[in-house]
Amino acid sequence: MPTDFDRTDNQHRPPLGATRASSPRPLIVTPTFVSRVDDTARGERPQDAGASKSRHGHEVHFPNWRPHALALEGDPNLAYEHWDEYWRKVHGPKFAWDEPGSSSAAVLRYDQVHRVASGPSSSFPPPYRAMVGGDGRLPSDPEKHVPAYRRPRWDGFAYIAYADEADIERTLGQEKFDKRIVADEQVAFRMVTREITREYILVPSARHRDPVSLVMIHMRAPGMSREVFQHRLLREHAPLVLGQPGTRELVRRYAQLHNIGSTQKDPEGSRIDAVSVLSFASLNDVEDYLVGADYPAIAASLAALEGEGSEWWTAINYSVINRLAPEVATELP
């Protein structure tokens, strides 16, 4: 018996969904960074007004005091797994589905990029070494030597691409998105950003099915304007990245997203000057790239450009919508 694909996001990407030729023009991307609903205190992780909904539809103002009230998951032991599942398997299809009177046709690509703690990050980069004591042996009391976990600011991002900036309002202004998708976000996320970026694809993906991404959130160094930072990131740093043997061997896709504004007041997203997304075939390829002989030059180039608040981490990619194939490199201005 054939599978019933009614209301599934399979209809919005290959092999079921139709595609059209890509353009070398830069696309407009809303890289919506998200933090998940959980029982973290508000002082440790900000929370959007109206987010972290209870089962009665009200904001849970102090989720650390009342985690059981959260609509998504009341058991803190299951909160991460339930959130990860909900975002991909429930929220994604809701976003893609064209309910009566609505259309997501202007969304050319929608990828969910889920951060994974086991992947490399700026707070715990590779190589990973065996822990030893002064005697050169593994500790016999490991319970006393557990490294602290330093959580990145974001748990992932929705990588949503449009042909033009006007298509954002044309899509998100529909009742489905304005009333029901936003309501769903308030169940799953405690904070979302709303920045608008211009996408520069420097290494196009062969199939746009690359499973792993290295996500770099860039905040410019003090004294540097956003315009200068973005110019140097694209015109100086990108050629350096592209010229490295490790990039040619391991990187399946490389794109830069340059912040050009916001869809609404966005105190967190407005601080992000650009985002780099490098995609790989496996988590081990990310590790090998970061410990390769040519990566120190890349890191030094970034260090000269970035300021406080920059971070990077590894994520798993899920393609929810993809109407473009094959992908092509962007013609640079």
Side-chain angles (χ1 to χ4, degrees):
M1 182 177 178
T3 301
D4 177 7
F5 290 104
D6 182 42
R7 303 192 312 280
T8 67
D9 52 42
N10 302 70
Q11 299 180 38
H12 298 269
R13 65 178 187 274
L16 295 184
T19 60
R20 59 180 184 267
S22 300
S23 165
R25 290 179 53 228
L27 295 179
I28 298 299
V29 168
T30 55
T32 306
F33 285 90
V34 302
S35 57
R36 65 184 179 90
V37 164
D38 64 8
D39 63 348
T40 304
R42 293 179 71 129
E44 298 176 27
R45 254 191 168 185
Q47 182 169 306
D48 285 333
S52 296
K53 285 288 181 69
S54 73
R55 289 182 294 276
H56 302 291
H58 306 300
E59 178 181 358
V60 179
H61 292 276
F62 301 102
N64 54 316
W65 293 357
R66 302 177 60 233
H68 58 280
L70 293 168
L72 183 63
E73 178 56 60
D75 183 349
N77 292 318
L78 298 177
Y80 171 75
E81 295 165 73
H82 201 165
W83 170 79
D84 200 44
E85 178 182 69
Y86 188 93
W87 186 16
R88 171 62 192 99
K89 300 178 183 179
V90 180
H91 181 77
K94 285 183 179 182
F95 187 100
W97 182 57
D98 293 334
E99 73 172 25
S102 75
S103 173
S104 63
V107 177
L108 301 180
R109 287 198 318 266
Y110 168 25
D111 298 329
Q112 289 185 358
V113 185
H114 294 221
R115 180 175 62 81
V116 287
S118 57
S121 68
S122 50
S123 61
F124 201 154
Y128 312 125
R129 307 181 191 279
M131 182 185 295
V132 296
D135 60 357
R137 298 175 181 274
L138 298 176
S140 58
D141 53 351
E143 69 279 1
K144 297 179 181 179
H145 303 279
V146 177
Y149 178 63
R150 290 175 288 173
R151 182 163 63 171
R153 190 166 187 82
W154 305 107
D155 295 312
F157 80 104
Y159 192 147
I160 306 174
Y162 303 85
D164 298 291
E165 197 168 337
D167 288 339
I168 300 174
E169 175 58 29
R170 192 173 297 121
T171 300
L172 302 185
Q174 298 175 76
E175 181 182 329
K176 168 201 160 180
F177 291 93
D178 185 47
K179 302 296 184 183
R180 289 178 282 284
I181 294 300
V182 170
D184 202 59
E185 290 176 349
Q186 293 173 333
V187 170
F189 309 123
R190 65 186 294 147
M191 176 167 278
V192 300
T193 65
R194 301 295 184 184
E195 68 269 27
I196 302 171
T197 66
R198 185 172 288 113
E199 179 188 50
Y200 297 100
I201 299 173
L202 302 165
V203 176
S205 174
R207 295 182 60 235
H208 204 76
R209 287 293 182 103
D210 309 303
V212 178
S213 281
L214 178 63
V215 179
M216 296 182 164
I217 300 174
H218 306 298
M219 297 185 184
R220 66 187 185 273
M224 187 181 300
S225 70
R226 173 168 287 177
E227 182 181 19
V228 168
F229 171 82
Q230 292 179 345
H231 176 82
R232 292 184 61 184
L233 189 71
L234 185 63
R235 292 299 187 175
E236 298 176 14
H237 179 72
L240 175 68
V241 173
L242 295 171
Q244 303 305 317
T247 301
R248 293 192 293 271
E249 178 186 357
L250 297 173
V251 175
R252 299 286 192 90
R253 183 180 192 268
Y254 174 28
Q256 289 185 6
L257 311 177
H258 290 199
N259 195 331
I260 59 173
S262 177
T263 60
Q264 61 189 58
K265 185 178 180 181
D266 187 19
E268 295 298 323
S270 63
R271 298 172 57 222
I272 299 172
D273 294 296
V275 181
S276 293
V277 185
L278 295 88
S279 298
F280 298 81
S282 71
L283 283 163
N284 286 129
D285 280 357
V286 182
E287 294 172 349
D288 291 347
Y289 184 70
L290 294 171
V291 300
D294 47 6
Y295 191 74
I298 295 174
S301 173
L302 281 176
L305 297 174
E306 291 182 324
E308 185 179 356
S310 301
E311 67 177 31
W312 55 265
W313 32 263
T314 312
I316 301 297
N317 304 324
Y318 299 97
S319 178
V320 180
I321 296 173
N322 184 21
R323 310 189 199 281
L324 300 176
E327 190 167 75
V328 298
T330 304
E331 288 183 356
L332 302 184

